[in-house]
Amino acid sequence: MSKKVVIIGGGIIGLCSAYYLLKDGHEITIIDQSNMDSGASYVNAGYITPSHFISLATPGIITKGIKWMFDSKSPFYVKPRLDIDFLKWSWAFKKSATKEKVENSIKAIKDINLFARDLYEDLKESKDFDFHYERKGLLMCYKTDKVGEEEWEVGKRGIQEGLGVRNLTATQVKELEPNANLNIKGAVYYDSDAHMTPNHFMKEMVSYLKENGVTFFKNEKVLDIDVTANKISKIITDKQSIVADEVVLAAGSWSPLLAKKIGLNIPVQAGKGYRINVERETNITIPAILCEAKVAVTPMDGFTRFAGTMEIAGINNKINPTRVEAIATAAQNYYNNLQITKTEKELAACGLRPCSPDGLPYVGKSSKCTNLTIATGHAMMGWSLGTATGKLISEVISNKKTSLDLSPFHPDRKF
Protein backbone atom coordinates (compact mmCIF):
# COMPACT_ATOMS: atom_id res chain seq x y z
CA MET A 1 0.00 0.00 0.00
CA SER A 2 1.35 3.40 -0.99
CA LYS A 3 2.07 5.75 1.89
CA LYS A 4 2.79 9.45 2.08
CA VAL A 5 6.28 9.62 3.59
CA VAL A 6 8.05 12.75 4.78
CA ILE A 7 11.83 12.53 5.15
CA ILE A 8 13.46 15.12 7.41
CA GLY A 9 17.01 15.54 6.11
CA GLY A 10 18.36 15.64 2.56
CA GLY A 11 21.82 14.17 3.08
CA ILE A 12 23.02 10.82 1.74
CA ILE A 13 20.81 8.88 4.19
CA GLY A 14 17.69 10.88 3.39
CA LEU A 15 18.21 10.67 -0.39
CA CYS A 16 18.86 6.93 -0.36
CA SER A 17 15.81 6.40 1.83
CA ALA A 18 13.77 8.41 -0.68
CA TYR A 19 15.13 6.34 -3.58
CA TYR A 20 14.18 2.96 -2.15
CA LEU A 21 10.85 4.20 -0.79
CA LEU A 22 10.06 5.56 -4.24
CA LYS A 23 10.91 2.17 -5.76
CA ASP A 24 8.46 0.61 -3.32
CA GLY A 25 5.70 2.89 -4.61
CA HIS A 26 5.46 5.53 -1.89
CA GLU A 27 4.86 9.27 -2.23
CA ILE A 28 7.93 11.11 -0.94
CA THR A 29 8.60 14.60 0.41
CA ILE A 30 12.05 15.69 1.60
CA ILE A 31 12.52 18.64 3.96
CA ASP A 32 15.97 20.09 4.58
CA GLN A 33 17.00 23.22 6.45
CA SER A 34 19.86 23.88 4.00
CA ASN A 35 20.17 24.40 0.26
CA MET A 36 21.41 20.78 0.03
CA ASP A 37 24.79 21.61 -1.48
CA SER A 38 27.10 21.39 1.55
CA GLY A 39 27.68 19.47 4.78
CA ALA A 40 28.92 16.00 5.68
CA SER A 41 27.40 14.32 2.61
CA TYR A 42 29.45 16.59 0.34
CA VAL A 43 32.80 16.84 2.17
CA ASN A 44 33.39 13.21 3.24
CA ALA A 45 36.08 10.86 1.92
CA GLY A 46 33.61 8.98 -0.29
CA TYR A 47 34.63 5.59 1.08
CA ILE A 48 32.66 2.36 0.92
CA THR A 49 34.30 0.61 3.85
CA PRO A 50 33.80 -3.06 4.72
CA SER A 51 37.30 -2.67 6.23
CA HIS A 52 35.92 -0.37 8.94
CA PHE A 53 34.36 -3.10 11.07
CA ILE A 54 35.82 -1.82 14.36
CA SER A 55 33.55 0.75 16.02
CA LEU A 56 34.72 4.23 17.01
CA ALA A 57 34.25 3.38 20.70
CA THR A 58 37.34 1.18 21.07
CA PRO A 59 39.17 0.26 24.30
CA GLY A 60 41.83 2.86 25.02
CA ILE A 61 40.18 5.63 23.01
CA ILE A 62 39.21 7.49 26.20
CA THR A 63 42.83 7.62 27.34
CA LYS A 64 43.95 8.78 23.90
CA GLY A 65 41.15 11.32 23.83
CA ILE A 66 42.24 12.87 27.12
CA LYS A 67 45.80 13.11 25.79
CA TRP A 68 44.67 14.58 22.47
CA MET A 69 42.40 17.06 24.21
CA PHE A 70 45.44 19.22 24.87
CA ASP A 71 46.73 19.06 21.30
CA SER A 72 44.90 21.32 18.84
CA LYS A 73 46.33 19.34 15.91
CA SER A 74 45.25 15.93 17.19
CA PRO A 75 43.10 13.67 14.98
CA PHE A 76 40.45 13.17 17.67
CA TYR A 77 39.40 16.12 19.80
CA VAL A 78 36.64 16.37 22.39
CA LYS A 79 35.81 19.81 23.72
CA PRO A 80 34.76 19.49 27.37
CA ARG A 81 31.56 21.38 28.13
CA LEU A 82 28.85 21.46 30.77
CA ASP A 83 26.02 20.17 28.62
CA ILE A 84 23.79 17.41 29.93
CA ASP A 85 23.39 15.66 26.55
CA PHE A 86 27.15 15.73 25.96
CA LEU A 87 27.86 14.38 29.46
CA LYS A 88 25.33 11.55 29.05
CA TRP A 89 26.76 10.72 25.61
CA SER A 90 30.30 10.70 27.02
CA TRP A 91 29.31 8.29 29.77
CA ALA A 92 27.57 6.00 27.26
CA PHE A 93 30.64 6.19 25.00
CA LYS A 94 32.87 5.16 27.92
CA LYS A 95 30.60 2.20 28.73
CA SER A 96 30.63 1.15 25.07
CA ALA A 97 34.42 1.22 24.73
CA THR A 98 35.01 -2.34 25.93
CA LYS A 99 36.59 -5.28 24.15
CA GLU A 100 33.42 -7.35 24.50
CA LYS A 101 31.10 -4.69 23.05
CA VAL A 102 33.45 -3.96 20.16
CA GLU A 103 33.70 -7.69 19.39
CA ASN A 104 29.92 -8.08 19.49
CA SER A 105 29.44 -5.25 16.98
CA ILE A 106 31.96 -6.44 14.35
CA LYS A 107 29.63 -8.71 12.37
CA ALA A 108 26.81 -6.15 12.28
CA ILE A 109 29.12 -3.37 11.05
CA LYS A 110 30.79 -5.60 8.45
CA ASP A 111 27.51 -7.01 7.15
CA ILE A 112 25.82 -3.64 6.69
CA ASN A 113 28.91 -2.29 4.89
CA LEU A 114 28.99 -5.25 2.49
CA PHE A 115 25.26 -4.92 1.89
CA ALA A 116 25.70 -1.21 1.13
CA ARG A 117 28.56 -1.90 -1.29
CA ASP A 118 26.43 -4.40 -3.20
CA LEU A 119 23.61 -1.86 -3.45
CA TYR A 120 25.93 0.90 -4.70
CA GLU A 121 27.17 -1.51 -7.36
CA ASP A 122 23.57 -2.32 -8.32
CA LEU A 123 22.87 1.41 -8.73
CA LYS A 124 26.04 1.85 -10.78
CA GLU A 125 25.00 -0.95 -13.12
CA SER A 126 21.47 0.41 -13.52
CA LYS A 127 20.47 2.74 -16.35
CA ASP A 128 19.39 5.42 -13.87
CA PHE A 129 22.84 6.65 -12.86
CA ASP A 130 26.34 7.32 -14.19
CA PHE A 131 28.26 8.30 -11.03
CA HIS A 132 31.95 7.75 -10.32
CA TYR A 133 32.55 4.45 -8.49
CA GLU A 134 35.77 2.44 -8.32
CA ARG A 135 36.70 -0.61 -6.29
CA LYS A 136 40.46 -0.30 -5.85
CA GLY A 137 40.62 -1.24 -2.19
CA LEU A 138 42.11 0.75 0.67
CA LEU A 139 45.70 1.15 1.89
CA MET A 140 46.15 1.59 5.65
CA CYS A 141 49.56 3.29 5.47
CA TYR A 142 51.84 3.37 8.49
CA LYS A 143 55.17 4.94 9.35
CA THR A 144 56.03 3.05 12.54
CA ASP A 145 56.35 -0.63 13.40
CA LYS A 146 54.03 -0.20 16.39
CA VAL A 147 51.17 1.16 14.31
CA GLY A 148 51.88 -1.38 11.58
CA GLU A 149 51.52 -4.22 14.10
CA GLU A 150 48.26 -2.73 15.42
CA GLU A 151 46.83 -2.41 11.91
CA TRP A 152 47.83 -5.97 11.03
CA GLU A 153 46.04 -7.28 14.12
CA VAL A 154 42.89 -5.63 12.78
CA GLY A 155 43.71 -6.99 9.32
CA LYS A 156 43.95 -10.54 10.62
CA ARG A 157 40.56 -10.08 12.26
CA GLY A 158 39.29 -8.94 8.87
CA ILE A 159 40.58 -12.15 7.28
CA GLN A 160 38.63 -14.12 9.90
CA GLU A 161 35.55 -12.19 8.75
CA GLY A 162 36.13 -13.25 5.15
CA LEU A 163 37.70 -10.03 3.84
CA GLY A 164 40.69 -9.96 1.52
CA VAL A 165 43.56 -8.41 3.49
CA ARG A 166 47.32 -8.31 2.90
CA ASN A 167 50.21 -6.87 4.89
CA LEU A 168 52.45 -5.06 2.40
CA THR A 169 56.00 -3.79 2.63
CA ALA A 170 56.84 -0.33 1.32
CA THR A 171 58.21 -1.98 -1.84
CA GLN A 172 54.96 -3.90 -2.37
CA VAL A 173 52.95 -0.72 -1.86
CA LYS A 174 55.06 0.97 -4.53
CA GLU A 175 54.15 -1.81 -6.96
CA LEU A 176 50.47 -0.99 -6.40
CA GLU A 177 50.91 2.79 -6.26
CA PRO A 178 54.10 3.41 -8.33
CA ASN A 179 53.95 7.18 -8.85
CA ALA A 180 52.59 8.51 -5.57
CA ASN A 181 56.02 8.43 -3.85
CA LEU A 182 54.75 7.35 -0.44
CA ASN A 183 57.03 7.83 2.56
CA ILE A 184 55.91 4.86 4.69
CA LYS A 185 57.14 1.61 6.25
CA GLY A 186 54.26 -0.40 4.83
CA ALA A 187 50.50 -0.74 4.58
CA VAL A 188 47.69 -3.13 5.34
CA TYR A 189 45.68 -3.46 2.12
CA TYR A 190 41.97 -4.30 2.01
CA ASP A 191 40.67 -5.32 -1.40
CA SER A 192 37.06 -5.09 -0.17
CA ASP A 193 36.73 -1.30 -0.27
CA ALA A 194 35.53 1.11 -2.95
CA HIS A 195 35.35 4.87 -3.37
CA MET A 196 33.20 7.54 -5.01
CA THR A 197 32.96 11.28 -5.65
CA PRO A 198 30.20 12.33 -3.22
CA ASN A 199 29.03 15.60 -4.77
CA HIS A 200 28.56 13.89 -8.16
CA PHE A 201 26.42 11.13 -6.68
CA MET A 202 24.35 13.57 -4.62
CA LYS A 203 23.63 15.71 -7.69
CA GLU A 204 22.61 12.68 -9.75
CA MET A 205 20.39 11.31 -7.00
CA VAL A 206 18.60 14.63 -6.45
CA SER A 207 17.97 14.92 -10.20
CA TYR A 208 16.63 11.37 -10.38
CA LEU A 209 14.30 11.88 -7.42
CA LYS A 210 12.96 15.17 -8.79
CA GLU A 211 12.37 13.65 -12.21
CA ASN A 212 10.42 10.82 -10.59
CA GLY A 213 8.06 12.94 -8.53
CA VAL A 214 9.78 13.46 -5.17
CA THR A 215 8.92 16.84 -3.63
CA PHE A 216 11.77 18.89 -2.14
CA PHE A 217 11.42 21.67 0.41
CA LYS A 218 14.89 23.20 0.71
CA ASN A 219 15.92 25.95 3.13
CA GLU A 220 12.96 24.98 5.30
CA LYS A 221 13.37 24.33 9.01
CA VAL A 222 11.24 21.95 11.06
CA LEU A 223 10.09 23.93 14.09
CA ASP A 224 7.83 21.42 15.80
CA ILE A 225 6.30 17.96 15.49
CA ASP A 226 2.80 17.28 16.80
CA VAL A 227 2.17 13.84 18.29
CA THR A 228 -1.21 12.32 19.11
CA ALA A 229 -1.51 8.87 20.73
CA ASN A 230 2.15 7.95 20.01
CA LYS A 231 1.77 8.92 16.36
CA ILE A 232 3.07 11.96 14.50
CA SER A 233 0.05 13.92 13.30
CA LYS A 234 1.71 16.98 11.84
CA ILE A 235 5.14 18.42 10.97
CA ILE A 236 5.35 22.17 11.42
CA THR A 237 8.05 24.06 9.51
CA ASP A 238 8.84 27.76 9.31
CA LYS A 239 6.75 27.86 6.10
CA GLN A 240 3.92 25.32 6.39
CA SER A 241 2.32 22.33 8.14
CA ILE A 242 2.62 18.88 6.59
CA VAL A 243 0.63 15.72 7.29
CA ALA A 244 2.15 12.31 6.52
CA ASP A 245 1.47 8.62 7.04
CA GLU A 246 5.12 7.95 7.91
CA VAL A 247 8.08 10.13 8.90
CA VAL A 248 11.77 9.35 8.48
CA LEU A 249 14.17 11.23 10.75
CA ALA A 250 17.45 11.45 8.83
CA ALA A 251 18.67 14.84 9.95
CA GLY A 252 22.20 13.77 10.91
CA SER A 253 23.65 15.69 13.84
CA TRP A 254 20.40 17.66 14.19
CA SER A 255 18.31 14.50 14.72
CA PRO A 256 18.40 14.55 18.56
CA LEU A 257 17.08 18.12 18.63
CA LEU A 258 14.06 17.11 16.56
CA ALA A 259 13.59 13.82 18.42
CA LYS A 260 13.25 15.75 21.68
CA LYS A 261 10.20 17.50 20.29
CA ILE A 262 8.37 14.17 20.47
CA GLY A 263 9.92 13.05 23.75
CA LEU A 264 12.60 10.78 22.30
CA ASN A 265 16.21 10.63 23.42
CA ILE A 266 18.61 9.69 20.62
CA PRO A 267 22.18 10.06 21.91
CA VAL A 268 24.17 11.69 19.11
CA GLN A 269 27.04 14.15 19.15
CA ALA A 270 28.25 16.07 16.12
CA GLY A 271 31.74 15.03 15.02
CA LYS A 272 33.24 17.69 12.77
CA GLY A 273 35.44 16.58 9.89
CA TYR A 274 37.40 18.66 7.38
CA ARG A 275 38.39 18.22 3.76
CA ILE A 276 40.95 19.78 1.41
CA ASN A 277 40.59 19.31 -2.34
CA VAL A 278 43.64 19.34 -4.61
CA GLU A 279 42.47 19.90 -8.18
CA ARG A 280 45.70 18.98 -9.98
CA GLU A 281 47.65 15.81 -10.65
CA THR A 282 48.89 14.07 -7.49
CA ASN A 283 49.63 10.62 -9.02
CA ILE A 284 47.52 9.09 -6.25
CA THR A 285 45.33 6.31 -7.64
CA ILE A 286 44.39 4.17 -4.61
CA PRO A 287 42.53 5.45 -1.53
CA ALA A 288 44.66 5.48 1.61
CA ILE A 289 44.35 6.20 5.29
CA LEU A 290 47.47 7.74 6.82
CA CYS A 291 47.24 5.82 10.06
CA GLU A 292 49.24 7.83 12.55
CA ALA A 293 47.58 11.06 11.43
CA LYS A 294 44.10 9.57 10.82
CA VAL A 295 43.88 11.32 7.45
CA ALA A 296 41.89 9.83 4.55
CA VAL A 297 43.09 10.27 0.97
CA THR A 298 40.75 9.71 -1.98
CA PRO A 299 41.44 10.02 -5.71
CA MET A 300 38.10 11.41 -6.86
CA ASP A 301 36.79 12.36 -10.29
CA GLY A 302 39.02 15.28 -11.29
CA PHE A 303 40.71 15.92 -7.94
CA THR A 304 42.26 14.34 -4.86
CA ARG A 305 40.59 14.79 -1.47
CA PHE A 306 42.38 14.84 1.88
CA ALA A 307 39.97 14.50 4.79
CA GLY A 308 40.28 13.99 8.50
CA THR A 309 39.83 14.82 12.16
CA MET A 310 36.99 14.03 14.52
CA GLU A 311 36.17 17.14 16.51
CA ILE A 312 33.34 16.71 18.99
CA ALA A 313 32.54 20.26 19.98
CA GLY A 314 28.81 20.72 19.48
CA ILE A 315 26.92 21.86 16.40
CA ASN A 316 28.94 24.53 14.64
CA ASN A 317 30.51 24.92 11.22
CA LYS A 318 33.48 27.04 12.18
CA ILE A 319 36.69 26.18 10.32
CA ASN A 320 39.67 25.73 12.63
CA PRO A 321 42.76 26.60 10.51
CA THR A 322 45.02 24.65 12.88
CA ARG A 323 43.18 21.42 12.12
CA VAL A 324 43.19 22.11 8.38
CA GLU A 325 46.94 22.69 8.58
CA ALA A 326 47.35 19.39 10.44
CA ILE A 327 45.68 17.51 7.56
CA ALA A 328 47.87 19.26 4.98
CA THR A 329 51.05 18.64 6.96
CA ALA A 330 50.23 14.95 7.41
CA ALA A 331 49.53 14.53 3.70
CA GLN A 332 52.85 16.13 2.81
CA ASN A 333 54.68 13.92 5.32
CA TYR A 334 53.32 10.72 3.76
CA TYR A 335 53.59 11.76 0.09
CA ASN A 336 57.09 13.03 -0.69
CA ASN A 337 56.26 15.10 -3.76
CA LEU A 338 53.02 16.60 -2.49
CA GLN A 339 52.61 20.28 -1.66
CA ILE A 340 49.24 21.66 -0.60
CA THR A 341 48.96 25.36 -1.33
CA LYS A 342 47.73 28.17 0.89
CA THR A 343 44.75 28.70 -1.42
CA GLU A 344 43.79 25.00 -1.24
CA LYS A 345 43.87 25.18 2.54
CA GLU A 346 41.84 28.39 2.57
CA LEU A 347 39.15 26.61 0.51
CA ALA A 348 38.82 23.78 3.06
CA ALA A 349 35.29 22.84 4.12
CA CYS A 350 33.81 20.94 7.05
CA GLY A 351 30.82 18.76 7.83
CA LEU A 352 29.18 17.37 10.96
CA ARG A 353 28.99 13.58 11.31
CA PRO A 354 26.35 12.24 13.73
CA CYS A 355 28.13 9.98 16.22
CA SER A 356 26.35 7.45 18.41
CA PRO A 357 28.06 6.37 21.66
CA ASP A 358 28.74 2.79 20.51
CA GLY A 359 29.70 3.40 16.87
CA LEU A 360 26.53 1.79 15.48
CA PRO A 361 23.89 3.80 13.65
CA TYR A 362 20.25 4.06 14.68
CA VAL A 363 18.09 2.39 12.04
CA GLY A 364 14.47 1.44 12.64
CA LYS A 365 11.39 2.39 14.63
CA SER A 366 11.29 3.49 18.24
CA SER A 367 8.60 1.85 20.33
CA LYS A 368 7.58 5.33 21.47
CA CYS A 369 6.26 6.53 18.11
CA THR A 370 4.48 4.22 15.70
CA ASN A 371 4.92 6.14 12.43
CA LEU A 372 8.47 7.42 12.93
CA THR A 373 11.49 5.60 11.47
CA ILE A 374 14.94 6.76 12.57
CA ALA A 375 18.05 6.81 10.40
CA THR A 376 20.99 8.60 11.97
CA GLY A 377 24.15 8.13 14.06
CA HIS A 378 26.35 6.75 11.26
CA ALA A 379 29.48 8.73 12.30
CA MET A 380 32.29 8.26 9.75
CA MET A 381 30.39 5.55 7.87
CA GLY A 382 27.47 7.70 6.73
CA TRP A 383 28.51 7.65 3.10
CA SER A 384 29.42 3.98 3.16
CA LEU A 385 26.09 2.99 4.68
CA GLY A 386 23.84 5.31 2.66
CA THR A 387 22.32 2.71 0.34
CA ALA A 388 21.98 0.01 3.00
CA THR A 389 20.24 2.36 5.39
CA GLY A 390 17.90 3.62 2.68
CA LYS A 391 16.98 0.09 1.66
CA LEU A 392 16.37 -1.00 5.26
CA ILE A 393 14.26 2.07 5.99
CA SER A 394 12.09 1.31 2.98
CA GLU A 395 11.69 -2.31 4.04
CA VAL A 396 10.57 -1.22 7.51
CA ILE A 397 8.02 1.28 6.20
CA SER A 398 6.80 -1.12 3.50
CA ASN A 399 6.32 -3.85 6.14
CA LYS A 400 8.76 -6.19 4.41
CA LYS A 401 11.19 -8.62 6.00
CA THR A 402 14.41 -6.63 6.42
CA SER A 403 17.53 -7.72 4.53
CA LEU A 404 19.56 -7.55 7.76
CA ASP A 405 18.82 -8.06 11.44
CA LEU A 406 18.10 -4.56 12.75
CA SER A 407 18.40 -5.38 16.46
CA PRO A 408 22.03 -4.09 16.75
CA PHE A 409 20.84 -0.75 15.33
CA HIS A 410 17.65 -0.39 17.38
CA PRO A 411 16.96 3.26 18.30
CA ASP A 412 15.80 2.22 21.81
CA ARG A 413 18.92 0.24 22.69
CA LYS A 414 20.46 0.85 26.10
CA PHE A 415 24.04 1.91 26.76
Side-chain angles (χ1 to χ4, degrees):
M1 185 179 74
S2 177
K3 298 177 182 177
K4 184 176 180 182
V5 184
V6 170
I7 299 171
I8 304 174
I12 181 65
I13 304 298
L15 293 188
C16 286
S17 297
Y19 176 81
Y20 290 105
L21 284 161
L22 186 68
K23 289 291 186 182
D24 277 343
H26 302 293
E27 180 186 339
I28 315 300
T29 298
I30 295 175
I31 306 172
D32 196 279
Q33 63 182 350
S34 76
N35 197 42
M36 290 179 58
D37 58 4
S38 62
S41 294
Y42 293 84
V43 305
N44 64 85
Y47 286 170
I48 313 300
T49 52
S51 64
H52 285 36
F53 51 82
I54 303 294
S55 74
L56 180 64
T58 55
I61 191 68
I62 301 295
T63 304
K64 284 183 181 178
I66 293 170
K67 176 185 173 184
W68 284 336
M69 202 178 288
F70 301 99
D71 181 2
S72 60
K73 295 181 180 179
S74 66
F76 180 61
Y77 173 70
V78 179
K79 181 182 179 181
R81 56 195 190 279
L82 290 174
D83 173 86
I84 188 65
D85 291 331
F86 166 71
L87 294 173
K88 285 181 177 178
W89 182 92
S90 299
W91 179 244
F93 184 87
K94 183 179 186 299
K95 289 197 293 182
S96 299
T98 67
K99 186 176 180 180
E100 181 184 9
K101 290 195 174 183
V102 169
E103 181 65 30
N104 289 340
S105 69
I106 286 175
K107 186 179 186 301
I109 296 174
K110 181 206 69 175
D111 286 351
I112 194 171
N113 268 285
L114 289 171
F115 181 46
R117 187 190 68 191
D118 290 345
L119 290 170
Y120 274 115
E121 292 180 355
D122 289 344
L123 290 182
K124 178 66 177 173
E125 291 170 7
S126 75
K127 295 179 181 179
D128 297 334
F129 302 100
D130 187 33
F131 54 85
H132 168 237
Y133 177 96
E134 294 183 87
R135 185 172 162 187
K136 288 189 172 181
L138 178 68
L139 290 165
M140 302 294 294
C141 298
Y142 56 85
K143 281 178 166 288
T144 63
D145 290 332
K146 180 177 182 294
V147 171
E149 289 165 7
E150 291 171 355
E151 288 300 327
W152 183 229
E153 284 302 310
V154 177
K156 287 189 287 187
R157 187 68 178 83
I159 292 171
Q160 290 179 35
E161 289 295 322
L163 302 179
V165 192
R166 287 185 283 154
N167 199 3
L168 305 180
T169 64
T171 301
Q172 290 170 318
V173 172
K174 189 171 178 61
E175 291 172 5
L176 278 178
E177 187 72 302
N179 301 314
N181 202 356
L182 275 155
N183 177 25
I184 57 173
K185 278 206 164 185
V188 175
Y189 174 67
Y190 291 83
D191 68 13
S192 53
D193 290 24
H195 67 284
M196 302 169 65
T197 303
N199 51 312
H200 291 186
F201 179 85
M202 294 291 286
K203 186 177 180 180
E204 281 195 38
M205 182 58 84
V206 169
S207 295
Y208 176 86
L209 294 175
K210 283 182 176 178
E211 288 168 6
N212 286 275
V214 172
T215 301
F216 284 81
F217 293 122
K218 298 181 183 180
N219 300 305
E220 190 160 335
K221 189 172 183 178
V222 174
L223 300 180
D224 208 353
I225 301 172
D226 284 353
V227 178
T228 305
N230 292 332
K231 185 176 181 180
I232 294 174
S233 54
K234 188 166 37 177
I235 298 166
I236 303 164
T237 76
D238 53 1
K239 297 177 182 176
Q240 62 183 314
S241 294
I242 304 173
V243 175
D245 300 315
E246 294 279 348
V247 177
V248 177
L249 180 56
S253 296
W254 288 264
S255 296
L257 304 177
L258 295 171
K260 279 185 176 181
K261 295 181 182 297
I262 51 179
L264 289 178
N265 178 39
I266 305 174
V268 162
Q269 286 291 308
K272 189 189 296 180
Y274 297 82
R275 71 98 177 107
I276 302 170
N277 289 344
V278 173
E279 296 181 358
R280 51 195 162 82
E281 186 57 66
T282 61
N283 294 315
I284 297 168
T285 65
I286 298 176
I289 289 182
L290 316 179
C291 291
E292 286 86 355
K294 302 287 190 292
V295 168
V297 183
T298 316
M300 294 188 177
D301 188 10
F303 60 97
T304 304
R305 174 165 291 178
F306 301 88
T309 83
M310 175 63 81
E311 180 181 327
I312 296 177
I315 292 180
N316 71 80
N317 285 296
K318 295 175 183 175
I319 299 286
N320 183 336
T322 302
R323 304 187 75 73
V324 173
E325 190 65 45
I327 293 171
T329 299
Q332 291 166 172
N333 285 341
Y334 281 77
Y335 294 94
N336 285 324
N337 296 335
L338 179 68
Q339 287 294 321
I340 296 178
T341 68
K342 181 182 177 183
T343 300
E344 287 162 344
K345 287 181 277 192
E346 287 173 346
L347 292 173
C350 69
L352 300 177
R353 298 163 294 196
C355 301
S356 69
D358 61 359
L360 292 166
Y362 303 104
V363 182
K365 285 187 179 288
S366 167
S367 61
K368 298 174 184 176
C369 190
T370 60
N371 65 338
L372 174 69
T373 309
I374 296 164
T376 190
H378 295 75
M380 295 175 290
M381 292 185 290
W383 188 267
S384 184
L385 303 184
T387 49
T389 302
K391 180 70 170 175
L392 292 165
I393 291 299
S394 184
E395 289 171 343
V396 168
I397 289 175
S398 302
N399 298 313
K400 296 180 178 180
K401 178 176 169 51
T402 57
S403 298
L404 299 175
D405 174 16
L406 291 186
S407 58
F409 314 116
H410 201 292
D412 294 341
R413 65 184 183 270
K414 303 298 182 186
F415 299 102

